[in-house]
Amino acid sequence: MISLRTNPARRRRLGVVAAAAGLLATLLTAGPAAASPDPGDTSTARTDASTAQQAEAEAAIRSGEIPGVDEVIHSGNITHLANVPKDALKGLNTDLAFQGKYAYAGNYDGFRIFDISNPKSPRTVSQVLCPGSQNDISVSGDLLFLSTDSSRSDDSCTSTTQPATEKSSWEGMKVFDISDKRNPKYVAAVETACGSHTHTLVPERRNVYVYVSSYSPSEAFPDCRPPHDGISVIKVPRSAPEKAAVVNFPVLFPDGGNPGAPTNPGVSRTTGCHDITVLPSKDLAAGACMGDGLLFSIEDPENPRIIDRVQDNVNFAFWHSATFNQKTDKVVFTDELGGGGAATCNDEVGPDRGANGIYDIVGRGDHRKLVFRSYFKIDRPQADTEVCVAHNGSIIPVKGRDLMVQAWYQGGVSVWDFTDSSRPKEIGYFERGPVTTDAVTTAGPWSAYYYNGYIYSNDIAKGLDVLKIDDRRTDPAKRVRLDELNVQTQPDYFDR
């Protein structure tokens, strides 16, 4: 069922938080995946809901406070154009990248390439089985990059799970040649300390630099021992990607970073970074690093240099991702409260915890500082059976405005305005009702990005969604066309 709700009378009144060998790719055309991936920081398991949680969710559906199971609702300025369900790859859907008429969708089991030349009817071009959570994905030219953040028996796409305590285990970056979209070829693998939870490209004409974010070391892990206070930098020659190698491991936290609990209760201890966003045209990067937010220079991409560092030990639990505005005088940081496995969009949690933090960048050069201005969180309540968390989003390019589209797992897709960084507001939304009312489930949009006039959302459980927004505030963005988009490598939309 699809419902249109332009001004729903909804408030956050729902209950308590739920705790939360060879380089050969297997190409799939039909049928289920033959191997299963490991979970990363998002659980694939169902957790039975309590009787009270189930009753509360069902009562909220009956009253219209939340949509029904799998019911689609959206604001009046959003149109749902298409949904492409999962096919051969049955794992959790993850991140997205774009190039020309193609969209590349990560999945815990591998990746899928779509032809989006007709956004109303995306077509599958190929599916590649290559398990290894979470398969964060990026593209540059004829190269596709895939993160592996689970211990595998080797670096092949036919590997099996293996404990991180075994020295022979492998985690890191994989590189594919996608010059033939129907037959991607696996061409390189680079092992990195603690694997690759996410990665960010800094592309140059001859080389692509890859910033690898990973965390959670242990003395028991031979290839991931503490201190793990930096990022791996990989250099990939475009003409010879098989020569890809780690060229540096810059230390970002010489003092060890945020100590977390018990010094800062409820805050993650910093043992690496979760995600980094770069703006190459400005030689600038923003790092979301567990207990810390960073601003740093990438003028020398092999040797990033810290400019400023901030913490929020009151309302932030886990610094997850970052987005610059186009003028590079603001950064939006997201907080992954609950680790992406808890219901955090309700009265019990409130509007500030698990929110976006909006920071102005003030000053010049090495004297620039991150200055907190406000929080933004969706005010559409979700049931305690719905995992809801601030997740991946992108700028909607409109001169003179700071607009963003963002995924919130089962909170759906939010379009919001932070032109006034002290008074952000939502201007559009799309969401589905609970997947079920009898269990706490991980579902909903992992990523929601604006690309060449449309919003593309990779729903963890439901597949690829294509949305269109028609609004005088966002309409100018339809004239901005890109040849390639990796959201964590932000383009200069207007000076190209």
Side-chain angles (χ1 to χ4, degrees):
M1 176 185 290
I2 298 178
S3 298
L4 176 64
R5 302 186 184 180
T6 57
N7 186 26
R10 300 171 62 188
R11 295 291 184 270
R12 193 181 289 110
R13 293 193 296 267
L14 296 174
V16 297
V17 182
L23 301 181
L24 175 66
T26 304
L27 203 63
L28 296 176
T29 56
S36 59
D38 296 315
D41 65 346
T42 303
S43 173
T44 60
R46 289 164 50 101
T47 302
D48 288 341
S50 68
T51 302
Q53 288 174 322
Q54 184 172 342
E56 183 179 55
E58 292 173 350
I61 291 171
R62 288 194 300 271
S63 69
E65 188 176 6
I66 65 173
V69 172
D70 282 343
E71 179 187 0
V72 172
I73 66 169
H74 53 81
S75 54
N77 55 0
I78 298 283
T79 303
H80 187 201
L81 297 180
N83 172 260
V84 185
K86 292 181 185 179
D87 186 23
L89 304 177
K90 302 301 184 183
L92 278 68
N93 284 330
T94 60
D95 212 3
L96 291 167
F98 304 90
Q99 192 179 66
K101 66 176 185 178
Y102 298 102
Y104 303 82
N107 179 285
Y108 271 49
D109 281 337
F111 65 92
R112 186 175 183 180
I113 302 178
F114 293 96
D115 181 336
I116 55 171
S117 52
N118 179 2
K120 294 181 179 179
S121 184
R123 295 185 299 105
T124 298
V125 177
S126 58
Q127 299 180 72
V128 174
L129 174 65
C130 199
S133 64
Q134 54 190 16
N135 281 335
D136 193 44
I137 193 167
S138 297
V139 292
S140 183
D142 287 336
L143 299 178
L144 180 146
F145 301 84
L146 208 62
S147 287
T148 298
D149 191 36
S150 60
S151 294
R152 313 297 300 180
S153 56
D154 54 48
D155 62 9
S156 75
C157 284
T158 55
S159 66
T160 57
T161 60
Q162 185 166 289
T165 52
E166 295 190 22
K167 176 62 178 173
S168 63
S169 294
W170 185 92
E171 299 180 60
M173 287 298 308
K174 295 169 181 169
V175 184
F176 291 77
D177 182 327
I178 53 169
S179 53
D180 181 355
K181 306 295 187 293
R182 295 185 178 277
N183 187 29
K185 296 179 180 178
Y186 184 7
V187 296
V190 181
E191 187 170 15
T192 54
C194 301
S196 174
H197 192 70
T198 66
H199 68 269
T200 304
L201 303 188
V202 185
E204 296 187 337
R205 189 167 65 88
R206 293 184 178 179
N207 304 298
V208 180
Y209 288 95
V210 186
Y211 291 169
V212 177
S213 296
S214 55
Y215 53 92
S216 295
S218 169
E219 291 289 357
F221 301 160
D223 298 318
C224 182
R225 287 195 172 112
H228 184 71
D229 47 14
I231 59 173
S232 297
V233 180
I234 298 173
K235 183 178 181 179
V236 185
R238 291 187 186 275
S239 60
E242 70 278 2
K243 295 182 180 180
V246 175
V247 293
N248 197 11
F249 188 87
V251 172
L252 303 180
F253 306 99
D255 65 350
N258 197 317
T263 303
N264 297 315
V267 178
S268 295
R269 180 169 68 93
T270 299
T271 60
C273 289
H274 180 277
D275 212 342
I276 292 170
T277 292
V278 298
L279 215 172
S281 64
K282 300 294 193 297
D283 291 328
L284 206 60
C289 302
M290 304 183 72
D292 294 88
L294 299 181
L295 183 69
F296 53 98
S297 167
I298 57 168
E299 187 175 3
D300 178 357
E302 289 191 24
N303 297 280
R305 178 172 48 81
I306 302 301
I307 296 173
D308 193 28
R309 170 180 156 197
V310 290
Q311 297 178 353
D312 180 344
N313 295 316
V314 176
N315 287 312
F316 260 48
F318 187 96
W319 295 66
H320 177 273
S321 54
T323 303
F324 289 104
N325 69 334
Q326 182 59 44
K327 287 185 177 180
T328 329
D329 58 7
K330 299 173 190 174
V331 182
V332 174
F333 289 102
T334 68
D335 176 24
E336 194 180 44
L337 177 67
T344 68
C345 300
N346 53 31
D347 249 352
E348 184 76 12
V349 176
D352 294 339
R353 296 178 62 226
N356 297 322
I358 304 167
Y359 287 74
D360 284 353
I361 302 174
V362 299
R364 294 184 178 182
D366 287 352
H367 298 291
R368 284 173 285 191
K369 297 291 183 184
L370 292 166
V371 178
F372 174 77
R373 293 303 186 205
S374 67
Y375 296 108
F376 170 77
K377 187 175 182 180
I378 59 172
D379 64 358
R380 290 171 284 106
Q382 309 299 312
D384 279 348
T385 59
E386 295 181 280
V387 172
C388 179
V389 66
H391 224 244
N392 296 351
S394 76
I395 290 296
I396 299 177
V398 175
K399 284 187 176 181
R401 286 186 178 272
D402 295 323
L403 305 172
M404 188 171 173
V405 57
Q406 185 179 2
W408 285 80
Y409 276 25
Q410 290 195 71
V413 174
S414 175
V415 180
W416 59 289
D417 186 331
F418 62 104
T419 305
D420 181 344
S421 53
S422 296
R423 296 186 179 185
K425 59 183 179 180
E426 185 173 76
I427 62 173
Y429 69 89
F430 166 89
E431 71 166 288
R432 289 181 172 89
V435 173
T436 180
T437 59
D438 61 7
V440 179
T441 55
T442 297
W446 178 291
S447 302
Y449 299 147
Y450 189 92
Y451 177 68
N452 290 354
Y454 298 90
I455 295 169
Y456 296 87
S457 167
N458 208 17
D459 189 291
I460 294 167
K462 299 297 183 181
L464 181 73
D465 286 305
V466 186
L467 313 175
K468 186 179 180 182
I469 181 167
D470 293 295
D471 188 290
R472 60 178 178 77
R473 292 162 290 192
T474 62
D475 284 347
K478 296 175 184 178
R479 297 191 292 268
V480 179
R481 312 298 292 182
L482 299 178
D483 297 324
E484 189 172 275
L485 177 63
N486 301 294
V487 168
Q488 286 73 36
T489 306
Q490 280 191 229
D492 190 323
Y493 288 98
F494 304 115
D495 294 330
R496 292 176 293 116

